């Protein structure tokens, strides 16, 4: 949708240089006009833009979320771009998942990040931490044994950086 609008409105003509946070090869399979392909010289394909992990924050995050040695940490994130109804459903599903998993996984620590679109009241469940936002999400992911996410492009790149298994 964004590429279509960019092409239709010829927005690329309004800039001298455009930074694209993708690899050029990602566009090989997309049908683009010759006119647009000629404009590729003005694009700077830089690959994913992801900040480095700040290892100095790991201790603070363990303290903030009461993560102890031996805990099995699952971080679940609804993402920043989710629609309200999707986030509500995500929170409901995480509550259900906790009910099932807490009987099967010893020392389960579930951290649920709703994202900024969640306007409801954060539930209170023993063994679950609910929050709307975590500024050090990639670092938290690196502390996690598993991440469950409605991941978009940026979150996928952060998961890759954190080297964490994810669903």
């Amino acid at each position: 949708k964004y590429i279509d609008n960019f092409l239709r409105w010829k927005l690329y003509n309004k800039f001298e240089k455009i930074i694209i946070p993708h690899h050029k090869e990602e566009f090989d399979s997309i049908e683009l006009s010759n006119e647009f392909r000629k404009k590729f010289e003005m694009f700077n394909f830089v690959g994913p833009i992801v900040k480095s992990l700040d290892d100095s924050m790991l201790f603070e995050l363990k303290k903030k979320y009461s993560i102890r040695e031996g805990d099995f940490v699952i971080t679940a994130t609804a993402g920043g771009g989710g629609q309200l109804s999707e986030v509500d459903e995500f929170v409901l599903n995480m509550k259900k998942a906790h009910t099932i998993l807490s009987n099967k996984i010893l020392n389960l620590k579930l951290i649920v990040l709703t994202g900024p679109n969640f306007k409801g009241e954060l539930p209170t469940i023993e063994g679950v931490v609910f929050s709307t936002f975590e500024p050090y999400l990639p670092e938290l992911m690196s502390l996690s044994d598993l991440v469950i996410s409605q991941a978009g492009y940026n979150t996928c790149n952060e998961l890759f950086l954190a080297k964490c298994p994810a669903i």
Side-chain angles (χ1 to χ4, degrees):
K1 162 180 145 182
Y2 299 110
I3 291 176
D4 289 341
N5 288 339
F6 193 76
L7 295 172
R8 185 179 314 110
W9 299 330
K10 298 188 179 192
L11 293 175
Y12 50 85
N13 288 325
K14 300 192 182 296
F15 301 94
E16 290 177 29
K17 194 74 164 164
I18 298 172
I19 297 172
I20 308 285
H22 293 270
H23 297 286
K24 191 174 185 179
E25 297 76 26
E26 293 178 61
F27 290 83
D28 288 348
S29 62
I30 298 174
E31 202 172 303
L32 300 171
S33 70
N34 287 335
E35 177 188 359
F36 185 71
R37 289 222 181 256
K38 287 178 191 170
K39 297 288 184 180
F40 268 26
E41 309 87 56
M42 71 184 301
F43 297 162
N44 189 1
F45 291 90
V46 297
I49 300 173
V50 182
K51 71 177 184 82
S52 299
L53 290 179
D54 184 352
D55 290 338
S56 70
M57 287 306 301
L58 299 180
F59 177 78
E60 292 301 319
L61 287 167
K62 286 179 182 179
K63 196 165 85 173
K64 178 179 180 178
Y65 293 104
S66 303
I67 299 172
R68 300 179 313 261
E69 191 68 35
D71 283 347
F72 188 91
V73 180
I74 298 176
T75 298
T77 173
Q83 301 303 316
L84 271 177
S85 60
E86 292 173 0
V87 176
D88 289 339
E89 185 177 354
F90 186 80
V91 169
L92 181 64
N93 287 332
M94 289 304 100
K95 288 165 64 174
K96 289 177 186 176
H98 181 264
T99 300
I100 295 166
L101 295 175
S102 63
N103 294 320
K104 298 177 188 265
I105 299 175
L106 188 64
N107 300 323
L108 174 64
K109 170 71 69 175
L110 178 58
I111 302 166
V112 179
L113 303 170
T114 63
N117 286 330
F118 183 72
K119 303 299 182 211
E121 190 171 320
L122 294 174
T124 304
I125 300 172
E126 187 176 335
V128 183
V129 177
F130 286 93
S131 180
T132 56
F133 177 73
E134 174 51 60
Y136 294 96
L137 181 58
E139 289 80 1
L140 179 59
M141 290 174 176
S142 76
L143 291 172
S144 301
D145 296 287
L146 177 67
V147 172
I148 301 170
S149 180
Q150 296 183 148
Y153 182 76
N154 291 327
T155 302
C156 285
N157 285 310
E158 291 169 338
L159 283 164
F160 182 74
L161 178 70
K163 297 181 172 90
C164 182
I167 299 172

